[in-house]
Amino acid sequence: MLERLREWDEVGFHLINGSLRNPIFDLLMPFVSNKWNFAVPVAVLLIYVLLFRPKRDRIIVVSAIAVILLTDGTSHILKDLFQRPRPFHPLRDTTHLVSFSFPSNHASNMFALATFLSYNYSRSGLFCFPLAALVGYSRIYVGSHYPFDVLGGALWGVLIGLLGAAAVQRLMRSAWVQHTGKSRDKKDHPACGP
């Protein structure tokens, strides 16, 4: 069974990385795959939310950062546990070892963020999940991961995103109760979820 899954994984990789290549994706996918291309817009958004948005939004943004850090760290632990080699080992910098392949950190982080944000802002899922899927696809397209690496990363990210959303919702309810002194009856709580 494991051998069959490995064969499917390799077939999927060669399909996306080879047969489905085209000039548009040759430009788009490396851009999408490089997280540093989004650093400035994300930083501007963070500054805006922290300075000008209500307290609830600020809490959610800081919590989202914590969720991503947790997801990234645990994904690295899983990589060291499974030690699956990447499809290609780029030799851009021979002084640093190339990390392992399973699960994809990009997919884990993006799906954790998409899950966490869509739990707190239901409409954001319409944008966040397609973007997370595009990032995952790009990791296969550029040759950094097999499809099951991305799928495993996506599932791990969704799990961490759900756990993070539940923890933050509980903390916000608890803080609201302490602040107002009201009972923990559900009808007294502000809407924290979808």
Side-chain angles (χ1 to χ4, degrees), residues 11-29:
V11 168
F13 173 80
H14 290 297
L15 175 67
I16 293 171
N17 184 261
S19 303
L20 297 178
R21 295 193 77 87
N22 62 74
I24 295 173
F25 279 14
D26 287 347
L27 293 173
L28 177 64
M29 293 304 163

Side-chain angles (χ1 to χ4, degrees), residues 112-194:
L113 181 63
T115 302
F116 182 81
L117 290 179
S118 65
Y119 189 88
N120 288 286
Y121 307 104
S122 57
R123 292 181 185 171
S124 69
L126 297 174
F127 171 76
C128 291
F129 281 108
L131 179 60
L134 181 64
V135 169
Y137 185 89
S138 77
R139 299 303 289 163
I140 305 166
Y141 193 91
V142 301
S144 292
H145 289 287
Y146 292 100
F148 284 168
D149 300 337
V150 170
L151 180 60
L155 293 174
W156 185 247
V158 167
L159 175 63
I160 298 295
L162 287 173
L163 291 174
V168 169
Q169 183 179 47
R170 177 167 287 211
L171 287 172
M172 289 175 74
R173 283 181 176 171
S174 201
W176 186 80
V177 168
Q178 289 177 1
H179 177 70
T180 62
K182 292 187 178 181
S183 71
R184 294 183 60 112
D185 191 290
K186 191 172 182 179
K187 66 184 179 186
D188 292 330
H189 293 223
C192 293

